[in-house]
Amino acid sequence: MKLLVMCSSYNYPEGLIEMYNSFLETKSEETEIKIYVSEDDPRIEDYKKLDIPIEFGEHKYMVGVMNYFSSKYDAEAYQLICDDHIYLKKGWDVLILEKIKEVGYVSFFDKDDYSNKNPTADVLRFDIVRKLGYFIYPKFRQAYLEPFMQHLARKVGNINLGSDYIEHKCWHGLSKSPKNLRHDFIYGEDENFSINLMAEAIGDVNEKFR
């Protein structure tokens, strides 16, 4: 496959179906998606009613899902997508595959975040993932990954494709963010957890990309 989109969903099946439908409406033929839901999700029965392909399994945080799919499947590039992303128009995957030949990392930024331009819908090329041994440093769980991803982007070369193709509804706790269990976790204990790991994770990237 050319591009593998990887999605972890938790406690938000209505968001997942919205993201998935936008994916189907805008993707190219050779772009595929893998979706993972943990069997201990509090809304597991709602997920099982959805008419979309989902892999159910043991509990995994979002980072674990990204590393699981990117190690299990070969693709030219891998994209991180959450159940609160929306694909806005066709051509996003064609553009990714064009630009990923020039750099190791392609990203987008949210239309409501022009000032910071934090990356979202991150894409890594196959050889970068294999050299790292992961898509995201595996000790991370879910939240506050932007400083790590930005550092990795600087190391392997980055092109940011702006905000016209993909929207992240849950952007950094804005009013659009659904207030659910995942939101409470991300903007609670997991943010500090990730901050405490940042130096170690960045050091690992520096070691592998001297």
Side-chain angles (χ1 to χ4, degrees):
M1 78 188 75
K2 297 283 188 178
L3 176 64
L4 177 61
V5 174
M6 308 176 296
C7 178
S8 170
S9 185
Y10 178 74
N11 196 52
Y12 195 31
E14 58 272 20
L16 177 62
I17 192 67
E18 186 178 10
M19 181 282 296
Y20 182 71
N21 286 338
S22 74
F23 169 80
L24 291 182
E25 291 167 1
T26 59
K27 80 177 192 75
S28 301
E29 184 177 352
E30 293 185 299
T31 298
E32 298 184 24
I33 190 169
K34 300 294 180 183
I35 301 167
Y36 191 95
V37 173
S38 297
E39 291 175 339
D40 61 356
D41 191 289
R43 298 186 63 186
I44 187 69
E45 295 305 319
D46 293 326
Y47 279 108
K48 289 182 177 179
K49 295 174 184 176
L50 299 179
D51 186 24
I52 60 177
I54 298 174
E55 180 173 339
F56 297 97
E58 64 181 11
H59 181 84
K60 295 183 189 294
Y61 291 110
M62 183 267 286
V63 170
V65 172
M66 299 303 110
N67 291 335
Y68 167 67
F69 282 141
S70 62
S71 63
K72 183 176 181 180
Y73 299 101
D74 287 341
E76 290 183 18
Y78 302 93
Q79 181 179 44
L80 183 165
I81 283 292
C82 299
D83 52 20
D84 48 14
H85 281 96
I86 297 293
Y87 291 97
L88 301 176
K89 63 181 182 180
K90 293 181 178 180
W92 59 270
D93 49 355
V94 175
L95 189 58
I96 285 172
L97 290 170
E98 175 187 328
K99 297 301 182 183
I100 203 70
K101 296 174 183 177
E102 304 171 20
V103 293
Y105 180 110
V106 169
S107 60
F108 298 79
F109 67 86
D110 190 81
K111 64 183 181 181
D112 290 331
D113 193 51
Y114 282 119
S115 60
N116 294 319
K117 297 186 180 179
N118 285 311
T120 191
D122 313 82
V123 182
L124 288 179
R125 204 173 58 216
F126 172 86
D127 60 302
I128 302 299
V129 174
R130 293 297 176 260
K131 185 171 182 177
L132 285 169
Y134 51 77
F135 185 88
I136 300 175
Y137 190 65
K139 291 186 181 180
F140 286 127
R141 300 184 300 194
Q142 184 94 13
Y144 195 66
L145 303 176
E146 290 80 14
F148 172 77
M149 300 306 285
Q150 288 170 335
H151 181 78
L152 176 58
R154 289 190 292 269
K155 281 290 186 179
V156 302
N158 168 242
I159 294 176
N160 191 296
L161 300 179
S163 61
D164 293 337
Y165 290 90
I166 300 174
E167 178 184 9
H168 194 187
K169 297 190 299 179
C170 189
W171 193 258
H172 297 280
L174 295 181
S175 59
K176 292 184 293 184
S177 173
K179 303 302 189 291
N180 54 26
L181 294 175
R182 179 186 56 185
H183 176 278
D184 294 342
F185 173 72
I186 291 175
Y187 299 107
E189 65 172 280
D190 201 50
E191 186 165 358
N192 287 331
F193 179 87
S194 295
I195 289 171
N196 292 333
L197 268 177
M198 197 60 61
E200 177 183 324
I202 287 174
D204 188 70
V205 171
N206 291 341
E207 182 68 24
K208 291 171 179 174
F209 291 92
R210 291 180 176 274

